[in-house]
Amino acid sequence: MNFKTKLTIFLFTIILGFSSCNTDDVASEQNAENAVLSATENVSTSRVGVCSEVPGWASQNGGTTGGGTSAETAVTTYAQLKAAIENTSVKVVKVSGTITIPSGGRISFQDQTGKTIYGTSGAKLVSNDQTKANSGIIYVKRCKNIIIRNLIFEGPGAYDTDGWDNATLDDCQNVWVDHCESRDGVDGNFDVKNKSDYITFSYTKFSYLKTPKAGGSGGTDDHRFSNLIGSSDSATADRGTFRITFARCWWAPGCRERMPRVRFGKVHIINCYFNSTVSNKCIAAGFEANIRVEKNSFENVKTPIDLMTGLTAVSAIDNLFSGTSGNQVGKNTAFTPPYTIVTLDKSAVKADVSAGAGATFAGNTCGSF
């Protein structure tokens, strides 16, 4: 078999692997809970609710299946969205259109197991509040087996008031965040804290498009700090948790720091793309961080790897650096993942991730990772 024939077969296999399995308003906001229940529809037999290709740490500890093939509830308004997320009986939430989170209306998603929240093409959750008390879009606490896919989270821009992130995982286990975009969070874009474990972010894009607001009470005039893992060096209960994978994610223009900043945990950053020219530092290895930085592409950024403390283990393996300055190497030896993951060559990362990261799906589609 010649090279051209082999290449043709390979490309055809990739196309088949990414073929989708489709997913497919009711009531008024005055009775949102009833609207949620009446909006529940039978799942199309063509929709595959359990995606077998969940990559990275979220595939461990029994795996992550979310709401599986449960009936889905369609939402188009804030009241419907809030009611559906807070209703433990609703297992799959389908979001359409742009939904604005009112000031102080941050959604509290707590104490649930087995749920999928996904967006149709262009679905967006927007917050316009920059205050400490009333900012943020969603706070996920003590939840297990959760999938969040194909959603755009848009905040009002960075402002150091010790406010809220666009989204936060707090003491959650087995969460898969896939093909999402989080941008312009007040405090951060998407943080992970308090013993959260077995988390995967895949094909997710982080950016800041809005000018940061100076003069916040926290003292940082440019707080475009995207992703924080672990809230404090003194939070020693976090030891042994924070097993997190970032696979084919994109820290895009506007990000300044925390891409991510890590305390504790075993964090695998593989096949990700960093190209924010305003960066001060990218991956930050904080207190007792254990980070495997593998086959990523760093382009025109400062300090790709910041070795913040002496109590870290960072393995920097076969990464690509172009136009960067600052540290590129690791220190000590980080963990070896217990899972296997389909891996791109570092030279292919930029094209693949810049084309595929973000809310680029039509809905809750499955395809080979």
Side-chain angles (χ1 to χ4, degrees):
M1 188 183 295
N2 62 33
F3 174 79
K4 180 182 260 186
T5 303
K6 288 181 179 178
L7 180 60
T8 301
I9 292 172
F10 173 76
L11 292 174
F12 181 67
T13 302
I14 292 296
I15 291 168
L16 283 178
F18 277 91
S19 62
S20 65
C21 27
N22 298 335
T23 73
D24 225 31
D25 279 336
V26 294
S28 68
E29 291 187 48
Q30 294 177 336
N31 196 353
E33 185 70 30
N34 288 338
V36 165
L37 296 175
S38 63
T40 302
E41 57 194 35
N42 291 329
V43 180
S44 166
T45 56
S46 65
R47 183 170 71 85
V48 176
V50 180
C51 294
S52 61
E53 81 282 6
V54 178
W57 276 116
S59 68
Q60 305 296 290
N61 192 40
T64 303
T65 57
T69 56
S70 299
E72 61 183 27
T73 296
V75 302
T76 60
T77 69
Y78 168 74
Q80 291 173 355
L81 175 69
K82 178 178 169 65
I85 288 178
E86 294 180 353
N87 187 340
T88 58
S89 297
V90 174
K91 295 300 184 183
V92 180
V93 181
K94 173 185 173 183
V95 183
S96 297
T98 296
I99 297 177
T100 299
I101 309 301
S103 178
R106 181 180 59 256
I107 295 174
S108 181
F109 178 16
Q110 296 189 24
D111 301 303
Q112 295 192 41
T113 298
K115 195 160 193 164
T116 297
I117 305 169
Y118 80 93
T120 60
S121 182
K124 183 189 302 184
L125 307 181
V126 179
S127 170
N128 295 310
D129 195 303
Q130 285 186 306
T131 64
K132 177 177 180 178
N134 296 323
S135 52
I137 294 172
I138 187 169
Y139 196 88
V140 188
K141 187 170 185 176
R142 295 187 302 270
C143 290
K144 298 179 180 179
N145 189 20
I146 304 298
I147 294 176
I148 303 172
R149 307 189 78 207
N150 208 58
L151 277 170
I152 299 170
F153 299 87
E154 181 180 313
Y159 184 34
D160 190 11
T161 59
D162 195 25
W164 294 81
D165 312 304
N166 280 347
T168 305
L169 299 180
D170 182 342
D171 193 13
C172 294
Q173 291 78 42
N174 285 93
V175 180
W176 182 32
V177 180
D178 178 60
H179 279 89
C180 287
E181 178 176 355
S182 189
R183 62 192 188 221
D184 293 305
V186 173
D187 189 63
N189 281 324
F190 209 129
D191 284 4
V192 182
K193 59 189 286 188
N194 291 343
K195 300 178 290 183
S196 290
D197 210 2
Y198 299 106
I199 314 294
T200 294
F201 293 85
S202 57
Y203 279 113
T204 294
K205 181 179 180 181
F206 308 102
S207 65
Y208 287 88
L209 305 180
K210 300 171 183 177
T211 302
K213 186 176 180 179
S217 58
T220 302
D221 288 339
D222 186 350
H223 201 271
R224 291 177 290 179
F225 298 170
S226 189
N227 306 91
L228 180 64
I229 298 171
S231 55
S232 170
D233 291 0
S234 63
T236 54
D238 292 336
R239 286 187 180 125
T241 64
F242 293 153
R243 282 166 280 207
I244 302 170
T245 302
F246 290 90
R248 305 194 194 186
C249 293
W250 183 6
W251 281 274
C255 294
R256 184 164 176 80
E257 294 186 14
R258 299 182 185 172
M259 300 179 239
R261 175 178 173 171
V262 179
R263 294 179 173 96
F264 307 105
K266 295 179 179 179
V267 178
H268 191 192
I269 302 170
I270 182 168
N271 281 165
C272 294
Y273 180 43
F274 303 77
N275 74 328
S276 178
T277 57
V278 302
S279 60
N280 183 43
K281 60 182 79 171
C282 297
I283 300 166
F287 186 68
E288 295 187 12
N290 190 336
I291 311 174
R292 185 180 180 95
V293 184
E294 185 174 3
K295 292 184 181 294
N296 302 285
S297 177
F298 298 87
E299 182 178 72
N300 299 322
V301 297
K302 295 179 180 178
T303 316
I305 302 171
D306 182 22
L307 301 171
M308 297 179 66
T309 76
L311 299 173
T312 60
V314 179
S315 292
I317 303 167
D318 194 26
N319 298 287
L320 180 63
F321 301 95
S322 175
T324 65
S325 61
N327 185 60
Q328 302 176 0
V329 300
K331 181 179 181 180
N332 302 320
T333 302
F335 72 101
T336 299
Y339 53 81
T340 58
I341 187 168
V342 178
T343 305
L344 300 170
D345 185 88
K346 61 185 177 183
S347 63
V349 168
K350 176 180 178 178
D352 180 87
V353 173
S354 59
T360 59
F361 278 175
N364 192 23
T365 56
C366 302
S368 173
F369 183 78

